[in-house]
Amino acid sequence: MSEMRQADATMTNPVVPGFHPDPSICRVGDDYYLVCSSFEYFPGIPVFHSRDLVHWTQIGNALDRPAQLRLPAAMPSSGGIYAPTLRHHDGRFWLIVTNVAEGEGNLLFTATDPAGPWSDPVRLPEVKGIDPDLAWDEDGTCWCTVAGGAQVRIDPYTGETFGPAHQVWAGTPGAQAPEAPHLYRIGAYWYLLIAEGGTERGHAVSIARGRTPTGPFEPCPDNPVLTHRGTHRPIQNTGHADLVQGPDGSWWLVLLGVRPRGGTPGWHVLGRETFLAPVTWVDDWPVVGEVPSVLPTPAWPLVPGAAEEVRDDFDLSELRPQWISVRDRPAEHCTTKERSGWLTLRARGASLDEPDVVFAGRRQQHLSCRVRTRIDPAEGRGGLAVRLDEEHHYEIEAAEGQVRVLSRVGPFRTVVASRPVPAGPVVLRLDVTPAPPNGPRTGPDVLTFGIEEQDGTFIPLGALDGRYLSTEVAGGFTGRVIGLYAAAGTVHFDWFDYEPLGL
Ligand code: 6LW
């Protein structure tokens, strides 16, 4: 990594694009670490590193073994892992999350290196509520505060709680969904930062302060300190924030937001993404302006990471950390070790409708992109899919001698196109492009599926409206994930290209 001239550097929001919601951040010396929610995907809790708050590189996934992450088939999509808090205290990293799957609850993990390995979970059965926060006061007492403002003293090494939970600040009277609490000591005050208004268009950030970590808390007279509700701003749903200081001591928020496009109401397809916003302080209250699409140039050197490779040749013994699967990833169903330089998927569920589908994908992180893969369907059937959940997905699949474009939208399953192809490997392609701007009923984008001939000529087979793979249609907390799947038998993939074509 090299320092860059400020003028050459990309300073665009979101700083972590694609389905990366509920960011939590911590700083250790010159290094910043950030984690996000991961819901039904395995491995879970992506971990990012940065030196400049603007450029982030994924260094791992905190929850990467079944002992840490149980996501049973009975758990619906958008269940699983919610809203982590990441902190550094007493020489180690602390990560607390909720697994909303039956019998799981709040879980605490530690690591000396945030890239991993992370510990097995310490369970917190007495801490009831989602979005747990961790804060230590001067004498080392650890406070855990959850959505709605219940707070309890805990032993973070054992998960033991002391005394009943007490209620601290529950947000603005009448506002829905007070959640995502984070408690900080800054100067003379303890601050309790929360989200409220729900994670959709009404989302907001509010704050209160008190003289002790347990309150009483006085709400900021200017709450919410951040919201984009009711505006035409290109970034919407702003909320669920965490505070951090820049290398020069300036203050910043990381937060989630979305980028809706198309006509009314606007559809966002990449899920909730992580944005950065500058913060100033007036009368010991934080002041946050509009979350900008282009960030102000910071006062410190920018340190971009290496650009991500377009192609994955499956030449490593493990998949890179960007690859995620649905609920689990047993080696007997997903491996690069069976056929050298190929990813082999062995089917379990018979389609992407099934909770146990064998799938490996990566988040769609750009509004426009081109995705290609070379599949050898061998004796099986599989393909290239865009997945929002079991009920919302588009795919192109290959079996010996045939390709088909398929769509599942709610109760409707459609074979959009089919075509015979020569036996053997075939290149499947997906182009995601903006919808032509022609009025209030325009969708956000168009997904064109097809095959590529030997000379690279694209043969489109089906062009599908992107709105049906948006959160406004499907609901839920995730975003599009694009990847490879097996629906029958064993299929092999030679390579996978993800080429960004626009922010
Ligand atoms: C999360 C809550 C929220 O627990 O959505 O936007 C929920 N905020 O804080 C799932 O991400």
Side-chain angles (χ1 to χ4, degrees), residues 8-295:
D8 295 339
T10 320
M11 291 293 302
T12 46
N13 249 331
V15 290
V16 188
F19 144 50
H20 290 112
D22 309 331
S24 180
I25 189 166
C26 83
R27 176 184 179 180
V28 183
D30 294 336
D31 295 294
Y32 294 90
Y33 299 96
L34 184 145
V35 292
C36 299
S37 301
S38 51
F39 303 96
E40 73 267 30
Y41 289 97
F42 182 101
I45 303 284
V47 183
F48 296 86
H49 172 253
S50 175
R51 300 296 292 265
D52 65 7
L53 285 180
V54 178
H55 300 95
W56 292 90
T57 304
Q58 191 174 351
I59 54 172
N61 293 282
L63 312 186
D64 60 1
R65 16 177 235 278
Q68 299 168 309
L69 181 54
R70 289 203 288 252
L71 299 168
M75 181 212 64
S77 284
S78 285
I81 295 292
Y82 278 28
T85 295
L86 179 68
R87 296 291 180 253
H88 187 261
H89 175 80
D90 207 11
R92 63 173 94 182
F93 291 87
W94 301 80
L95 173 69
I96 187 166
V97 301
T98 313
N99 184 344
V100 300
E102 182 80 39
E104 292 294 309
N106 287 311
L107 308 170
L108 213 160
F109 304 85
T110 58
T112 49
D113 179 352
W118 285 82
S119 69
D120 283 345
V122 168
R123 293 177 183 272
L124 297 145
E126 299 308 322
V127 178
K128 312 285 185 201
I130 60 167
D131 301 358
D133 175 71
L134 287 181
W136 284 263
D137 71 17
E138 287 83 356
D139 68 6
T141 304
C142 183
W143 298 100
C144 181
T145 312
V146 297
Q151 187 186 66
V152 68
R153 202 185 128 207
I154 66 166
D155 178 341
Y157 292 92
T158 63
E160 192 182 350
T161 53
F162 304 99
H166 56 276
Q167 182 65 32
V168 290
W169 184 53
T172 308
Q176 63 164 291
E179 56 193 16
H182 290 306
L183 183 63
Y184 317 87
R185 173 73 196 247
I186 300 171
Y189 292 103
W190 284 85
Y191 289 88
L192 184 57
L193 184 77
I194 66 164
E196 45 186 2
T199 196
E200 296 81 22
R201 294 291 191 272
H203 214 194
V205 178
S206 293
I207 197 163
R209 71 185 182 197
R211 294 290 180 181
T212 76
T214 55
F217 288 98
E218 158 207 6
C220 175
D222 293 325
N223 278 335
V225 292
L226 168 65
T227 187
H228 284 193
R229 68 191 177 207
T231 69
H232 287 296
R233 295 175 187 170
I235 302 163
Q236 289 288 321
N237 304 20
T238 50
H240 201 124
D242 201 3
L243 267 169
V244 71
Q245 276 183 285
D248 64 346
S250 56
W251 285 88
W252 299 78
L253 279 182
V254 290
L255 64 136
L256 74 76
V258 305
R259 294 184 282 168
R261 285 174 304 157
T264 309
W267 291 271
H268 75 275
V269 302
L270 302 186
R272 300 169 299 163
E273 309 176 273
T274 287
F275 292 79
L276 185 66
V279 176
T280 54
W281 292 83
V282 175
D283 297 334
D284 293 326
W285 292 112
V287 176
V288 195
E290 178 175 345
V291 179
S293 296
V294 178
L295 286 157

Side-chain angles (χ1 to χ4, degrees), residues 304-435:
E308 209 189 308
E309 302 278 338
V310 167
R311 175 158 297 194
D312 194 325
D313 270 312
F314 301 124
D315 47 6
L316 301 179
S317 60
E318 301 292 336
L319 287 173
R320 292 178 170 81
Q322 290 76 16
W323 287 94
I324 50 176
S325 295
V326 180
R327 294 188 177 79
D328 66 357
R329 188 195 284 162
E332 61 271 28
H333 288 282
C334 176
T335 180
T336 53
K337 293 179 185 151
E338 186 162 320
R339 189 159 152 185
S340 176
W342 293 69
L343 176 69
T344 297
L345 300 183
R346 187 160 290 116
R348 192 172 49 185
S351 77
L352 286 149
D353 299 345
E354 305 300 328
D356 61 344
V357 64
V358 172
F359 172 87
R362 52 156 295 155
R363 293 156 173 93
Q364 182 185 333
Q365 292 188 278
H366 303 84
L367 297 173
S368 303
C369 59
R370 174 167 301 155
V371 185
R372 301 157 67 238
T373 187
R374 182 165 182 263
I375 180 175
D376 177 359
E379 305 293 303
R381 179 163 52 84
L384 171 65
V386 184
R387 177 184 196 273
L388 210 55
D389 57 32
E390 284 81 9
E391 295 175 357
H392 301 86
H393 50 85
Y394 295 158
E395 57 266 18
I396 180 162
E397 79 178 19
E400 193 70 357
Q402 198 188 45
V403 295
R404 302 193 301 167
V405 178
L406 306 170
S407 143
R408 164 93 196 259
V409 176
F412 305 110
R413 295 181 179 81
T414 312
V415 179
V416 177
S418 67
R419 176 191 172 104
V421 287
V426 54
V427 174
L428 307 177
R429 174 166 148 184
L430 161 67
D431 286 358
V432 184
T433 50

